[in-house]
Amino acid sequence: MAANGAPPETDEFWIFGYGSLIWKPPPHYDRRVPGWVTGYVRRFWQASQDHRGTPEAPGRVVTLIERSFWASLVDAHDSAPEKVWGVAYRIKADKVAEVKEYLDIREINGYTIHYTPFHPADGSPPIRTLVYIGTPDNDQFTGPQDPQALAEHIYVSEGPSGLNRDYLLSLEKALNELSPESGDAHVTDLSNRVREIERKRREGELAVEGFEHPVSHEFRRVSSVDEQEETEKA
């Protein structure tokens, strides 16, 4: 696994979780601190072949996208909060190597190691944290997708770690529990769409087998300054 950015400037080892790590923490931590990072946007743009899908039918999980790169793309969810909320975990010093190995196995499917400042919600000084990110150059990165098609894809996907929709709904719940301002509109919109699919299926209004809107792995950049400005303002 590649590493990007400088290592932490401290003997303490911290990990930032913005997806399943929020509610499924790593082993051997002795502090859990809610807070946020900036400069990124959270999106369900990473294919999952090993947890919430299979190699033949990948699910979708979240990754972080640098905000400047996200602004160059055409995204139906065309706004995003400045703060990406999550949780930082401090790992016990004598367990750092063990936890790194555990996370490399858990997060390796297209993710690489980065470091970023984390801002604790209690206002204490920023902490330099390790974070796993699926960057746009990894082959599991899908880029922007139609929200309804993405919700349908998440609804029907399943992998060794369980249903893809359980991951989505658990993330929404975990984020909402961190702070009154920690919700993520992208996550909430997809969750609402999945709940509506489930309601229609339960009431016999919808057959979910073989949705006719496959999610493309292609993405495109905005093609003009005007289009980019419109995306950023919406």
Side-chain angles (χ1 to χ4, degrees), residues 14-18 21 35 37 64 84-88 118 129-131:
W14 290 82
I15 298 168
F16 174 58
Y18 58 91
L21 281 175
V37 301
L64 297 183
V84 177
W85 277 81
V87 172
F118 170 85
T129 58
L130 179 151
V131 59

Side-chain angles (χ1 to χ4, degrees), residues 4 35 48 53 62-63 66 74 80 85 114-115 125 172 175 210 220:
N4 295 275
S48 176
V62 287
T63 186
E66 289 190 4
V74 177
W85 277 81
H114 302 254
Y115 291 93
E172 181 194 35
L175 286 172
R220 67 186 180 94

Side-chain angles (χ1 to χ4, degrees), residues 46-55 57-61 109 140 164:
Q46 183 77 359
S48 176
Q49 300 180 351
D50 55 351
H51 286 294
R52 301 293 174 166
T54 65
R60 296 291 184 270
V61 291
N109 187 215
Q140 302 301 317
N164 203 171

Side-chain angles (χ1 to χ4, degrees), residues 16 35-42 64 67 80-86 119-121 175 179 181-185:
F16 174 58
W36 64 85
V37 301
T38 60
Y40 293 97
V41 173
R42 175 174 28 223
L64 297 183
R67 195 173 190 91
E82 291 294 329
K83 301 174 181 177
V84 177
W85 277 81
H119 303 272
L175 286 172
S179 162
E181 62 176 88
S182 56
D184 187 312

Side-chain angles (χ1 to χ4, degrees), residues 37-106:
V37 301
T38 60
Y40 293 97
V41 173
R42 175 174 28 223
R43 287 293 183 263
F44 267 85
W45 293 357
Q46 183 77 359
S48 176
Q49 300 180 351
D50 55 351
H51 286 294
R52 301 293 174 166
T54 65
E56 297 75 25
R60 296 291 184 270
V61 291
V62 287
T63 186
L64 297 183
I65 299 95
E66 289 190 4
R67 195 173 190 91
S68 58
F69 179 75
W70 170 79
S72 74
L73 303 175
V74 177
D75 183 2
H77 287 155
D78 52 10
S79 64
E82 291 294 329
K83 301 174 181 177
V84 177
W85 277 81
V87 172
Y89 296 97
R90 187 177 69 180
I91 305 302
K92 296 176 182 178
D94 62 340
K95 297 294 184 179
V96 168
E98 179 182 334
V99 171
K100 282 184 176 179
E101 181 179 4
Y102 163 81
L103 288 172
D104 281 353
I105 294 171
R106 174 170 163 176

